[in-house]
Structures are given as structure tokens and as C-alpha cells.
Amino acid sequence: MWNLFRAIYLVLTLGTTHGLFQHQISVNPEANMNISQIISYWGYPDEVYDIVTEDGYILGLYRIPHGKTNNINNSAQRLVVYLQHGLLMSASSWISNLPNNSLGFILADAGYDVWMGNSRGTTWSRKHLYLKTNSKEFWAFSFDEMAKYDLPASIDFIVEHTGQDEIFYVGHSQGSTIAMITFSTIPKMAERIKTFFALAPVFSIKYSKSPLIKMAYKLKSLIKVFSGNRGFLLNTPFKNFVGSKLCPLNFLNKICLNILFMITGYDPKNINMSRLDVYMTQNPAGTSVQNMLHWSQLFNSSQLKAFDWGSPVLNLVHFNQTLSPLYDVTNMKVPTATWSGENDFLADPEDVKILLSKITNHIYHKTIPYYNHLDFLFGLDAYHEVYHEILDIIQGNL
């Protein structure tokens, strides 16, 4: 994908000298901002914390304690809503649209204390107490560790900092996956969740149509060789150049959009094209090669299981058994509401059906026929199709 953009860059360089590329969509300033800057840019209060996991990773945790017009004096009494991003994304995914269509801002304006987590290896969580970021040891993780260490550390910090015994949890894609693992394996964490909202939830990917997953499955050996078991699709200056300089060009924005749709599913009528530069500079935010290999291991399976280390001996070291263990989501007792799209390449409807049969405390489900994987974050009608229902369910569970 990025080789294509490198070729386009050469064309752009030559074309600029002849004035061929003068028609460009104006770039949004948020395209070149970090998360705190985006929050402040729209006039919201922002706080950022570095929290440390049990295994030494330093995660960026972001907070919007109240809305633009809310009274700050009673912010300590506000109910907490925690937002967890999906695969190859970051907390910026909750604030990438205009405030009236970004869930992070909508919740803050509705009177909630909004917290947004960042999984290890993403742009804002790429530090460790003693491991170097460019070491193989740093990148030796998958969503297993995110569920075992990252999510508990984030929830513990929020509960201690706010004094709230229970919080609401919203997860998109992999953000729902790690929640299901955490809530089904760590009862203490499950007890702290009032309601779990799963957007485009991913449990199995047996029926996934995404070329990204298929590529990871078919080319896993090559990925390991060329990426060196380290980072995968990290946020780089070149990628930011592509997103902020190339994608806004009128003759290239359709290409950028189609690359997104090729991975997540097509829905061109439900995306704000004027925000494409923000989507493309903020994402992908990176993960580990091991995490992508973990997902590729699930491609032909209808089950959710831990990372297979490749040999009975290594599995025995990590799990005290020769096979990687299955995650039993039926053990999750948290009240759960789900939203899925029939046009979702990553959370395929058939895979979602498998998941729904395993959720024991399912309080609501909605299938949106035309939604792809990103519509739950960036869709023009996301408020009307999803967000107002989240608000209604929260209000009904106070």
C-alpha cells in the first residue's frame, strides 16, 4: 500500500514543478495535531496521564473531564465512560470528526467524564520502563497482553483517580475483543463495568473478507522477515505526509478512500470526505507484528484463543499447557450491548452471529445493513444510528 504512495509521491514531485496539482482540498489543522491538541482545539478541557502496566509498558491515557459548557465544579461526580480503540487505531479515533459527530465530545457534552485509552505499541503508547522501543522484546506482545495488562491498568487508574466504583465501557473492534477477554478472565475487572458497549465487535475472523487479515495470514512468514518481529504499520513522517499532503489532492483522495474501504468495507456515502486527511494521518497508529500474526492464527477458526507460540514447548512455558488456551466468553457476565454492520469486512456478520450466541448477558443488539467497520467511528450518521442509543442505554442504567 505505501509503495503505491511512494510512486505517487514521485509523480507529485514532478507534477508540482509544472503546476499540475493546484486543486487541493484544504487541510484540517487536526491532521498534524496530537490527541491533547485536538481536544483543546475544539475548546474542551484535556488531561493526559502516563500509566504503567504490570509488565512495564507506559500507556498514554487521555481524559475529557467535562464538556465545553458543563460546570467544572462537580466534575468529580460525573459518571465515567471509557473508550477503547480498535486494531491499528488510537484514541484519536473517538475525536476525529467534528464535535457533534465524535463520540468522545458527544459524551463529554452530555455530562460524562470521558477517558480514552491507547493500547501498547500505538503512537501514544510506545514507551517502556526499561525495554528499548526498537527491541524485539518490546514488540513481543499481542492482544493477549493488552487484555491481561493494559486494560486492567487503565481501569484501575481511572477508578482510583475518579473514585467511581463502576464505569461504562465502549470498545470498537479489537477494543471489544480485549474487553471480552478481560471481563471473562478477571472477575475484579468485570465487577467495575456497569455496561459494555461493543461496536463492530470482533470475536472470531473465520469469515473475514478484509484483505489486511488475509494478507497477514498468507504472508505471515514474509511479514516476520521484513518487519523483524517488531512494529507493524507504525505512524511515520512519510505516512503523515501521505495523509496531509497527498490524500487531500482531488485526484488522489478517491484512492486514499478506496484503500480504507478495501480493508474495512465500502460505504462511500457515509464518510465526510473533508476529514479524510485527519483519518489518514492519525491512522494507522501501529501495533506489533506479533499482534497481526495472532489475528492471522484465528483466520480459519470460529474460536477466540491466545497466541500460539509455535511449539508445544513454548506454549508450555507461557500457558502451562502445550496448546494455546481458548477464551471462554460465556464467562463474561457484564451487561453487553452490541452494534454490527452487514457491510463490515473485519467483523463479518457470520462471525458476529457466533459471538452473539456466546454473550450470556446480552441486553441489546442492532445490525445496520450498510455499515462498514469504520462507520461506527467516522460515519456521517453515527450519532443517529449508534451514539444516541448508547446515551439512552446509559441513562436507563443510572
Side-chain angles (χ1 to χ4, degrees):
M1 178 173 69
W2 297 115
N3 287 332
L4 171 63
F5 279 126
R6 287 186 173 92
I8 294 173
Y9 173 60
L10 293 176
V11 175
L12 178 67
T13 303
L14 294 173
T16 301
T17 62
H18 298 283
L20 298 179
F21 308 129
Q22 296 176 1
H23 301 290
Q24 178 174 339
I25 300 173
S26 59
V27 176
N28 293 288
E30 308 99 282
N32 298 307
M33 294 180 180
N34 61 35
I35 294 174
S36 291
Q37 290 169 334
I38 294 174
I39 296 171
S40 298
Y41 174 77
W42 289 111
Y44 291 81
D46 77 280
E47 299 174 11
V48 58
Y49 301 90
D50 283 340
I51 63 170
V52 182
T53 67
E54 186 179 329
D55 58 344
Y57 285 80
I58 303 171
L59 313 178
L61 185 62
Y62 292 81
R63 183 190 192 188
I64 310 175
H66 58 85
K68 286 189 288 188
T69 60
N70 298 148
N71 184 357
I72 191 173
N73 293 328
N74 66 349
S75 61
Q77 303 302 316
R78 297 178 189 277
L79 295 175
V80 172
V81 184
Y82 177 83
L83 309 178
Q84 182 62 44
H85 65 81
L87 177 65
L88 293 172
M89 306 191 85
S90 75
S92 68
S93 61
W94 303 109
I95 53 171
S96 288
N97 274 339
L98 302 179
N100 65 350
N101 203 39
S102 293
L103 185 57
F105 294 135
I106 289 170
L107 288 166
D109 284 333
Y112 298 103
D113 184 0
V114 180
W115 294 74
M116 301 179 293
N118 287 283
S119 296
R120 62 182 63 193
T122 57
T123 307
W124 318 111
S125 294
R126 208 167 290 163
K127 295 185 291 185
H128 197 278
L129 289 180
Y130 51 87
L131 294 177
K132 294 183 178 180
T133 307
N134 61 354
S135 67
K136 289 185 178 181
E137 291 78 13
F138 177 90
W139 294 102
F141 64 80
S142 72
F143 61 77
D144 287 336
E145 286 74 23
M146 298 174 197
K148 184 177 181 180
Y149 299 115
D150 294 5
L151 195 52
S154 299
I155 293 175
D156 279 341
F157 182 89
I158 293 169
V159 168
E160 181 179 351
H161 193 83
T162 64
Q164 299 284 337
D165 293 329
E166 291 183 314
I167 68 175
F168 294 93
Y169 181 103
V170 183
H172 172 250
S173 185
Q174 182 180 262
S176 64
T177 309
I178 62 176
M180 288 184 282
I181 296 171
T182 301
F183 302 157
S184 62
T185 58
I186 309 177
K188 178 184 175 182
M189 290 296 112
E191 292 171 0
R192 291 178 171 171
I193 306 303
K194 182 73 172 178
T195 309
F196 169 28
F197 302 95
L199 312 183
V202 182
F203 170 78
S204 63
I205 55 170
K206 181 177 182 179
Y207 299 99
S208 173
K209 301 180 184 70
S210 174
L212 178 68
I213 298 299
K214 292 181 179 180
M215 179 194 72
Y217 176 74
K218 293 180 179 180
L219 304 178
K220 48 183 175 286
S221 297
L222 287 177
I223 291 174
K224 289 176 68 175
V225 170
F226 287 106
S227 300
N229 269 353
R230 291 184 173 87
F232 183 82
L233 289 184
L234 304 182
N235 198 325
T236 64
F238 175 75
K239 192 219 62 153
N240 289 336
F241 169 81
V242 169
S244 63
K245 302 299 182 184
L246 299 190
C247 288
L249 292 169
N250 285 336
F251 81 106
L252 290 179
N253 56 19
K254 293 278 181 69
I255 295 176
C256 295
L257 184 63
N258 285 331
I259 288 173
L260 278 180
F261 285 163
M262 181 181 68
I263 298 172
T264 63
Y266 288 83
D267 189 10
K269 295 181 180 180
N270 200 30
I271 191 167
N272 187 343
M273 287 295 293
S274 70
R275 306 293 294 175
L276 188 60
D277 59 332
V278 180
Y279 308 151
M280 296 299 290
T281 52
Q282 296 291 331
N283 306 289
T287 189
S288 67
V289 168
Q290 181 169 314
N291 193 39
M292 295 306 301
L293 295 177
H294 191 171
W295 280 113
S296 74
Q297 291 175 358
L298 305 179
F299 185 56
N300 286 323
S301 173
S302 60
Q303 298 173 312
L304 181 62
K305 58 183 179 180
F307 181 72
D308 190 330
W309 288 87
S311 74
V313 173
L314 289 175
N315 285 334
L316 193 62
V317 170
H318 287 276
F319 308 120
N320 202 30
Q321 60 185 62
T322 56
L323 297 176
S324 59
L326 298 176
Y327 290 117
D328 188 358
V329 175
T330 62
N331 290 329
M332 181 180 69
K333 308 304 180 184
V334 177
T336 302
T338 56
W339 287 259
S340 61
E342 290 186 359
N343 197 30
D344 191 332
F345 282 6
L346 283 164
D348 187 89
E350 292 300 316
D351 286 312
V352 173
K353 286 181 182 178
I354 297 172
L355 168 63
L356 297 183
S357 69
K358 297 180 180 296
I359 299 177
T360 56
N361 192 358
H362 202 186
I363 61 173
Y364 179 76
H365 176 70
K366 180 178 183 179
T367 300
I368 307 172
Y370 56 92
Y371 256 40
N372 68 15
H373 202 64
L374 292 181
D375 281 332
F376 297 93
L377 300 172
F378 305 146
L380 289 169
D381 62 357
Y383 177 83
H384 299 287
E385 290 290 348
V386 182
Y387 300 163
H388 85 90
E389 295 182 338
I390 293 177
L391 291 169
D392 290 344
I393 293 174
I394 291 176
Q395 286 294 317
N397 284 274
L398 297 183

